[in-house]
Amino acid sequence: MKNKNILIILFLFVVMAQLFVPSQMIYNQEDILNTGKIVKFQCEPIDPNDPFRGKYITLNFKEEGIKVKNLKEWNRNETIFAKIETAKDGFAKIKSISRTEPTDNSIYLKLKIDYIADYDYEHKIYLDFPFDRFYMNENKAKTAETVYAESTIDTTKIAYALVATKNGEAVIKDVLIDNISIKELAKAKNNSNK
């Protein structure tokens, strides 16, 4: 009887642990969205022939690279902290990078160095943004990707992601084209195709 009670307790512990981990991940994402600071990262064109890889839009950002004084001090895949500021145009810009987490009240992201470009024409560190996919309802995702690709080709349109940031973490809140949510644009395009 004692062994049976121990097995039941262990089983309940395993069940609770399996529920806790995904619940904690969902809670952390929602906490960032609800209480984080919002910044706008301007998108840039992607190859319009890039295949649709699931139920999300693939995003590229203009602000993925930063010039630094000494490229040799940095290493690929190194974890860094990027301080973010809002430029006059309203979009997020990387102000600086550091190996230490900021202690002031600034907006920052914990990122990895994707690669270092040390060429005759370019001397930059490129960062790996963890928010390069915007997940959507599967019925709207394909249309939304088409709308997004068309907007990044059209130089008169401005595409950007609203990103919530908190303690170095980031979650995409929405993708907008000319200040209109991609969800609304996809819905309108679907309705016009009927």
Side-chain angles (χ1 to χ4, degrees):
M1 187 66 154
K2 209 175 206 183
N3 286 341
K4 188 175 182 180
N5 287 340
I6 291 173
L7 286 175
I8 290 172
I9 291 171
L10 284 173
F11 174 75
L12 290 174
F13 178 75
V14 169
V15 168
M16 293 300 287
Q18 288 179 337
L19 292 174
F20 176 78
V21 171
S23 297
Q24 187 66 30
M25 291 170 62
I26 292 168
Y27 173 79
N28 288 342
Q29 297 281 308
E30 288 299 316
D31 181 51
I32 293 169
L33 284 171
N34 294 325
T35 63
K37 296 176 183 175
I38 303 295
V39 291
K40 299 187 312 187
F41 280 91
Q42 191 171 8
C43 299
E44 67 178 10
I46 59 169
D47 181 356
N49 297 319
D50 187 21
F52 185 66
R53 299 178 294 166
K55 313 286 188 281
Y56 60 85
I57 302 169
T58 303
L59 303 172
N60 286 344
F61 299 99
K62 285 186 175 182
E63 198 56 34
E64 288 179 329
I66 182 171
K67 289 183 180 182
V68 295
K69 290 183 182 178
N70 191 351
L71 289 176
K72 297 191 186 321
E73 291 180 8
W74 304 95
N75 299 303
R76 189 173 188 276
N77 291 324
E78 181 177 4
T79 299
I80 57 94
F81 297 92
K83 276 192 174 185
I84 307 298
E85 67 180 2
T86 302
K88 289 180 183 177
D89 63 4
F91 294 107
K93 302 289 181 204
I94 299 172
K95 182 178 179 179
S96 64
I97 61 172
S98 170
R99 289 185 176 91
T100 57
E101 189 169 5
T103 56
D104 59 5
N105 200 20
S106 62
I107 298 172
Y108 68 95
L109 295 172
K110 182 179 178 182
L111 304 171
K112 288 205 177 277
I113 294 175
D114 191 19
Y115 65 95
I116 298 170
D118 191 9
Y119 310 115
D120 291 337
Y121 60 92
E122 182 178 45
H123 305 284
K124 281 186 174 180
I125 290 177
Y126 284 87
L127 305 170
D128 183 16
F129 283 22
F131 48 86
D132 62 350
R133 295 176 181 176
F134 182 61
Y135 290 88
M136 295 185 66
N137 175 302
E138 64 184 69
N139 297 328
K140 296 179 183 175
K142 182 63 177 166
T143 305
E145 185 174 30
T146 302
V147 169
Y148 173 73
E150 289 169 358
S151 75
T152 57
I153 293 169
D154 184 347
T155 57
T156 64
K157 296 190 180 287
I158 298 175
Y160 61 92
L162 278 182
V163 179
T165 66
K166 184 176 181 180
N167 300 326
E169 301 295 321
V171 177
I172 293 181
K173 195 166 189 154
D174 201 357
V175 173
L176 292 96
I177 299 168
D178 288 340
N179 298 318
I180 302 170
S181 172
I182 192 130
K183 295 172 193 171
E184 294 301 316
L185 292 169
K187 182 179 178 181
K189 186 166 181 95
N190 278 339
N191 289 341
S192 71
N193 290 337
K194 288 182 180 179

